[in-house]
Short mmCIF file of all heavy atoms in Angstrom, two decimals:
data_model
loop_
_atom_site.label_atom_id
_atom_site.label_comp_id
_atom_site.label_asym_id
_atom_site.label_seq_id
_atom_site.Cartn_x
_atom_site.Cartn_y
_atom_site.Cartn_z
N GLY M 1 -2.89 -5.99 4.27
CA GLY M 1 -4.10 -6.40 3.56
C GLY M 1 -3.89 -6.37 2.07
O GLY M 1 -2.83 -5.98 1.57
N GLU M 2 -4.91 -6.77 1.33
CA GLU M 2 -4.79 -6.85 -0.10
C GLU M 2 -4.56 -5.47 -0.73
O GLU M 2 -3.98 -5.36 -1.80
CB GLU M 2 -6.02 -7.51 -0.71
CG GLU M 2 -6.12 -8.98 -0.34
CD GLU M 2 -4.82 -9.74 -0.54
OE1 GLU M 2 -4.35 -9.88 -1.68
OE2 GLU M 2 -4.26 -10.22 0.46
N HIS M 3 -5.00 -4.40 -0.08
CA HIS M 3 -4.77 -3.06 -0.61
C HIS M 3 -3.29 -2.76 -0.70
O HIS M 3 -2.88 -1.92 -1.50
CB HIS M 3 -5.44 -2.01 0.29
CG HIS M 3 -6.94 -2.16 0.37
ND1 HIS M 3 -7.57 -2.63 1.49
CD2 HIS M 3 -7.89 -1.95 -0.57
CE1 HIS M 3 -8.88 -2.66 1.26
NE2 HIS M 3 -9.10 -2.27 0.03
N GLY M 4 -2.46 -3.43 0.11
CA GLY M 4 -1.02 -3.23 0.09
C GLY M 4 -0.36 -3.65 -1.20
O GLY M 4 0.79 -3.36 -1.47
N GLY M 5 -1.11 -4.36 -2.07
CA GLY M 5 -0.60 -4.77 -3.37
C GLY M 5 -1.22 -4.03 -4.53
O GLY M 5 -0.92 -4.33 -5.68
N ASP M 6 -2.05 -3.05 -4.26
CA ASP M 6 -2.69 -2.27 -5.33
C ASP M 6 -1.91 -0.98 -5.56
O ASP M 6 -1.71 -0.21 -4.61
CB ASP M 6 -4.14 -1.95 -4.96
CG ASP M 6 -4.76 -0.96 -5.91
OD1 ASP M 6 -4.91 -1.29 -7.10
OD2 ASP M 6 -5.07 0.17 -5.47
N PRO M 7 -1.45 -0.71 -6.78
CA PRO M 7 -0.59 0.46 -7.04
C PRO M 7 -1.17 1.80 -6.56
O PRO M 7 -0.49 2.59 -5.94
CB PRO M 7 -0.39 0.43 -8.55
CG PRO M 7 -0.52 -1.00 -8.91
CD PRO M 7 -1.55 -1.56 -7.99
N SER M 8 -2.45 2.06 -6.85
CA SER M 8 -3.00 3.36 -6.46
C SER M 8 -3.13 3.46 -4.93
O SER M 8 -2.97 4.54 -4.35
CB SER M 8 -4.36 3.62 -7.12
OG SER M 8 -5.33 2.71 -6.65
N SER M 9 -3.40 2.34 -4.28
CA SER M 9 -3.49 2.31 -2.82
C SER M 9 -2.11 2.51 -2.20
O SER M 9 -1.97 3.24 -1.21
CB SER M 9 -4.09 1.00 -2.35
OG SER M 9 -5.36 0.79 -2.92
N VAL M 10 -1.09 1.90 -2.79
CA VAL M 10 0.28 2.07 -2.30
C VAL M 10 0.71 3.54 -2.44
O VAL M 10 1.32 4.13 -1.53
CB VAL M 10 1.26 1.14 -3.04
CG1 VAL M 10 2.72 1.48 -2.70
CG2 VAL M 10 0.97 -0.31 -2.72
N GLU M 11 0.38 4.14 -3.57
CA GLU M 11 0.71 5.56 -3.79
C GLU M 11 0.03 6.44 -2.72
O GLU M 11 0.64 7.35 -2.16
CB GLU M 11 0.26 5.98 -5.19
CG GLU M 11 0.61 7.41 -5.53
CD GLU M 11 0.13 7.83 -6.93
OE1 GLU M 11 -0.50 7.00 -7.62
OE2 GLU M 11 0.38 8.98 -7.29
N PHE M 12 -1.24 6.14 -2.43
CA PHE M 12 -1.97 6.90 -1.42
C PHE M 12 -1.31 6.71 -0.04
O PHE M 12 -1.13 7.68 0.71
CB PHE M 12 -3.43 6.45 -1.37
CG PHE M 12 -4.21 7.08 -0.25
CD1 PHE M 12 -4.67 8.38 -0.37
CD2 PHE M 12 -4.48 6.37 0.92
CE1 PHE M 12 -5.40 8.97 0.66
CE2 PHE M 12 -5.20 6.95 1.96
CZ PHE M 12 -5.66 8.26 1.83
N CYS M 13 -0.94 5.48 0.27
CA CYS M 13 -0.27 5.20 1.56
C CYS M 13 1.03 5.98 1.70
O CYS M 13 1.35 6.49 2.78
CB CYS M 13 -0.03 3.71 1.72
SG CYS M 13 -1.56 2.76 1.96
N HIS M 14 1.78 6.06 0.63
CA HIS M 14 3.02 6.86 0.64
C HIS M 14 2.71 8.33 0.89
O HIS M 14 3.36 8.99 1.70
CB HIS M 14 3.75 6.67 -0.70
CG HIS M 14 4.99 7.50 -0.80
ND1 HIS M 14 6.18 7.14 -0.18
CD2 HIS M 14 5.24 8.67 -1.43
CE1 HIS M 14 7.09 8.06 -0.44
NE2 HIS M 14 6.53 9.00 -1.19
N LYS M 15 1.67 8.82 0.22
CA LYS M 15 1.30 10.23 0.31
C LYS M 15 0.91 10.63 1.74
O LYS M 15 1.24 11.73 2.20
CB LYS M 15 0.15 10.53 -0.65
CG LYS M 15 -0.24 12.00 -0.74
CD LYS M 15 -1.37 12.23 -1.71
CE LYS M 15 -2.68 11.98 -0.99
NZ LYS M 15 -3.87 12.23 -1.76
N ILE M 16 0.23 9.73 2.47
CA ILE M 16 -0.22 10.09 3.82
C ILE M 16 0.82 9.74 4.88
O ILE M 16 0.59 9.96 6.07
CB ILE M 16 -1.59 9.48 4.16
CG1 ILE M 16 -1.55 7.93 4.21
CG2 ILE M 16 -2.67 9.98 3.22
CD1 ILE M 16 -2.81 7.31 4.79
N GLY M 17 1.98 9.19 4.46
CA GLY M 17 3.08 9.01 5.41
C GLY M 17 3.25 7.63 6.02
O GLY M 17 3.91 7.51 7.05
N LEU M 18 2.71 6.60 5.37
CA LEU M 18 2.95 5.25 5.90
C LEU M 18 4.39 4.84 5.66
O LEU M 18 4.99 5.22 4.65
CB LEU M 18 1.98 4.25 5.26
CG LEU M 18 0.69 4.00 6.05
CD1 LEU M 18 -0.17 5.25 6.11
CD2 LEU M 18 -0.10 2.86 5.44
N ASP M 19 4.92 4.03 6.57
CA ASP M 19 6.31 3.58 6.47
C ASP M 19 6.47 2.30 5.65
O ASP M 19 7.54 2.04 5.11
CB ASP M 19 6.86 3.31 7.89
CG ASP M 19 6.77 4.57 8.76
OD1 ASP M 19 7.35 5.60 8.33
OD2 ASP M 19 6.15 4.51 9.81
N TYR M 20 5.42 1.49 5.56
CA TYR M 20 5.54 0.23 4.83
C TYR M 20 4.16 -0.28 4.44
O TYR M 20 3.14 0.15 4.99
CB TYR M 20 6.25 -0.84 5.66
CG TYR M 20 5.45 -1.32 6.85
CD1 TYR M 20 4.58 -2.42 6.76
CD2 TYR M 20 5.54 -0.67 8.09
CE1 TYR M 20 3.84 -2.83 7.84
CE2 TYR M 20 4.81 -1.09 9.18
CZ TYR M 20 3.94 -2.17 9.06
OH TYR M 20 3.19 -2.57 10.13
N VAL M 21 4.13 -1.16 3.46
CA VAL M 21 2.93 -1.90 3.11
C VAL M 21 3.26 -3.38 3.15
O VAL M 21 4.40 -3.78 2.94
CB VAL M 21 2.38 -1.52 1.70
CG1 VAL M 21 1.99 -0.06 1.64
CG2 VAL M 21 3.36 -1.87 0.61
N SER M 22 2.28 -4.18 3.48
CA SER M 22 2.46 -5.63 3.39
C SER M 22 1.24 -6.22 2.67
O SER M 22 0.15 -5.64 2.72
CB SER M 22 2.65 -6.27 4.77
OG SER M 22 1.43 -6.18 5.52
N CYS M 23 1.46 -7.32 2.00
CA CYS M 23 0.38 -7.94 1.24
C CYS M 23 0.73 -9.41 1.00
O CYS M 23 1.79 -9.86 1.42
CB CYS M 23 0.20 -7.21 -0.09
SG CYS M 23 1.68 -7.14 -1.10
N SER M 24 -0.13 -10.14 0.33
CA SER M 24 0.13 -11.52 0.04
C SER M 24 1.31 -11.63 -0.91
O SER M 24 1.58 -10.72 -1.71
CB SER M 24 -1.11 -12.20 -0.53
OG SER M 24 -1.60 -11.49 -1.64
N PRO M 25 2.05 -12.76 -0.83
CA PRO M 25 3.32 -12.88 -1.60
C PRO M 25 3.21 -12.60 -3.10
O PRO M 25 4.09 -11.95 -3.65
CB PRO M 25 3.74 -14.34 -1.35
CG PRO M 25 3.11 -14.69 -0.05
CD PRO M 25 1.80 -13.93 0.00
N PHE M 26 2.13 -13.03 -3.74
CA PHE M 26 2.07 -12.86 -5.20
C PHE M 26 1.90 -11.38 -5.59
O PHE M 26 2.14 -11.00 -6.71
CB PHE M 26 0.95 -13.72 -5.81
CG PHE M 26 -0.45 -13.23 -5.60
CD1 PHE M 26 -1.08 -12.42 -6.54
CD2 PHE M 26 -1.16 -13.56 -4.45
CE1 PHE M 26 -2.36 -11.97 -6.34
CE2 PHE M 26 -2.45 -13.13 -4.26
CZ PHE M 26 -3.05 -12.32 -5.21
#
């Protein structure tokens, strides 16, 4: 989702143990 391209959201995802993020190409 679009959250996968937001820096603070990516940082949070890393903190809770997600393996990857995906988002739109840009």
